[in-house]
Amino acid sequence: MNQQTSNTTPHDAAASVLNIPEPTSHHNVFDPPSKCIFYPKGVDCIYVRRFDLDDLDALSTAKNASNMVGMIRAIGRTITAPIEMLTQDDFKALCFWHRVNSYPRKPLIFTWECTNPKHIVTSKLEITPDMDQDQLDAIDDARRFLKNRVQLDTVKSIMGNPMTLARFEKLKAWYKDNERYTYPHLLQPATVATMIEFAELTNLQMKNAKLQELDLNDDNLETVLDELVKVTSQDIILRAATHMPNTFGLTLVDRMNNLRKEIKAHPEKYGTEFLDDLDMFDDLTDHDLSDVVKGTCKYGGCKQAIELPIDFDLFNFFPHI
């Protein structure tokens, strides 16, 4: 049989399996901090477009309903890859991309007051001997430091040390030295799919709490609440399960239950060394996104540097439209 030459690109090959849409002229290349190292073969590039009105409407509706899953789905509509596949740090970087590019007239701005004593703006009022304490306090309150501002205008400003091939080689070497974490127990970075599963469990928890308040009956209520107790009370099990692939269980609860069975059957494999391995794995796969934005005072050549924390709360991250 003659072999025909195929013109199929890696994107086409991955698209046929993952149902990935073709990028359009409205899409831009999104360079995730993971460098797509942990994604299926053929997914070596992700494209993203800015939010359109439908996306903004879906995002706003989900936000107003405190529906995190709905917000994630709305954001996922803008990329040429299943949103569930993304690592959690890649998803965070994607949100920053949208914050910078989808809201050009509402930039992300951080302000601070320079603590250089030379930059204190004093009140024009003079202190006199006959002033009472309230007047003195008012003058003191009028003193303030000069305010600075810095605008986060590029996603690269939060990139620390993205995954590189060299780091991936270290990870492969670690896998080789720790054969117990091979298929089907292969550890992987936590993904958006896990975020969605946990958010849905949390929604169930709230829903069932409401059912209890209303004194309604639900045949599955006791079972669901038992699972939620397990999820919320066993942080170590939860953390480990977020790093387990679907071959270890199709859902987060399945993976947690299977891990409990593994621990019960092989307690010698899951001691403090296992926690050390999780720490090492996290270090090797950390995308190293920065939690701070750096600023410098611009008054009078001061150049006093400061690091301002970035509070990434999905519900409050995007501006109100």
Side-chain angles (χ1 to χ4, degrees):
M1 183 171 62
N2 293 332
Q3 221 172 6
Q4 295 181 347
T5 304
S6 173
N7 294 323
T8 303
T9 65
H11 178 275
D12 294 332
S16 64
V17 177
L18 299 173
N19 194 27
I20 297 176
E22 283 284 352
T24 69
S25 58
H26 300 293
H27 284 86
N28 299 276
V29 174
F30 172 63
D31 186 21
S34 71
K35 300 300 181 184
C36 297
I37 283 175
F38 303 103
Y39 300 152
K41 187 176 181 181
V43 182
D44 53 3
C45 184
I46 295 175
Y47 295 88
V48 59
R49 59 168 175 77
R50 297 196 301 174
F51 288 139
D52 60 24
L53 289 180
D54 285 340
D55 302 324
L56 292 172
D57 181 59
L59 192 66
S60 178
T61 300
K63 176 182 176 180
N64 292 336
S66 298
N67 181 359
M68 179 176 288
V69 176
M71 293 187 70
I72 293 173
R73 300 286 187 205
I75 296 167
R77 289 158 42 162
T78 66
I79 60 173
T80 59
I83 191 69
E84 298 87 351
M85 182 184 72
L86 265 60
T87 66
Q88 292 183 12
D89 276 346
D90 280 357
F91 175 74
K92 183 177 178 180
L94 175 64
C95 289
F96 272 97
W97 187 95
H98 275 298
R99 190 64 183 80
V100 171
N101 294 280
S102 291
Y103 302 89
R105 296 185 180 180
K106 294 187 177 182
L108 189 58
I109 295 175
F110 301 82
T111 61
W112 79 96
E113 295 177 343
C114 180
T115 55
N116 186 333
K118 295 180 180 179
H119 293 170
I120 296 179
V121 179
T122 57
S123 169
K124 294 181 179 180
L125 298 176
E126 295 183 3
I127 298 177
T128 59
D130 60 333
M131 285 185 173
D132 59 26
Q133 189 58 47
D134 288 341
Q135 291 172 312
L136 292 173
D137 289 343
I139 289 178
D140 189 55
D141 289 342
R143 294 192 178 98
R144 61 179 176 79
F145 288 104
L146 289 174
K147 283 191 175 181
N148 283 267
R149 54 182 265 158
V150 60
Q151 178 174 321
L152 185 67
D153 54 5
T154 171
V155 180
K156 288 185 178 180
S157 60
I158 64 165
M159 296 293 189
N161 180 27
M163 289 296 298
T164 60
L165 289 178
R167 290 180 68 194
F168 189 53
E169 289 301 322
K170 288 183 180 180
L171 180 61
K172 288 198 293 186
W174 182 84
Y175 275 132
K176 188 175 181 181
D177 293 338
N178 295 270
E179 294 183 354
R180 58 182 285 193
Y181 299 119
T182 55
Y183 183 89
H185 302 160
L186 183 69
L187 294 180
Q188 64 180 23
T191 64
V192 173
T194 304
M195 287 176 61
I196 291 174
E197 287 179 306
F198 190 74
E200 288 175 339
L201 282 173
T202 304
N203 288 339
L204 274 176
Q205 187 179 35
M206 295 172 65
K207 175 185 174 183
N208 289 321
K210 190 66 176 176
L211 286 176
Q212 287 182 318
E213 284 180 18
L214 298 174
D215 197 26
L216 297 177
N217 294 322
D218 187 333
D219 294 338
N220 297 321
L221 181 58
E222 185 175 349
T223 301
V224 171
L225 288 178
D226 285 345
E227 290 300 336
L228 287 168
V229 168
K230 292 176 184 177
V231 168
T232 55
S233 63
Q234 299 193 38
D235 291 342
I236 294 176
I237 300 295
L238 173 61
R239 179 190 173 199
T242 60
H243 288 308
M244 298 294 183
N246 286 344
T247 51
F248 202 68
L250 292 180
T251 69
L252 181 61
V253 172
D254 288 342
R255 293 193 291 277
M256 292 180 69
N257 286 335
N258 289 336
L259 184 56
R260 291 191 196 98
K261 292 176 184 177
E262 280 278 311
I263 293 172
K264 191 172 183 179
H266 306 285
E268 73 282 356
K269 293 184 178 181
Y270 294 95
T272 55
E273 295 86 356
F274 176 65
L275 298 181
D276 292 340
D277 289 340
L278 280 179
D279 288 339
M280 179 60 72
F281 180 80
D282 282 341
D283 287 342
L284 287 171
T285 58
D286 183 16
H287 301 0
D288 203 20
L289 286 178
S290 178
D291 292 324
V292 298
V293 61
K294 297 180 180 180
T296 305
C297 179
K298 298 180 173 63
Y299 289 110
C302 173
K303 296 185 179 179
Q304 180 168 316
I306 190 171
E307 290 188 347
L308 304 166
I310 301 174
D311 181 21
F312 181 74
D313 173 10
L314 187 58
F315 284 117
N316 298 302
F317 188 68
F318 297 110
H320 178 72
I321 299 297

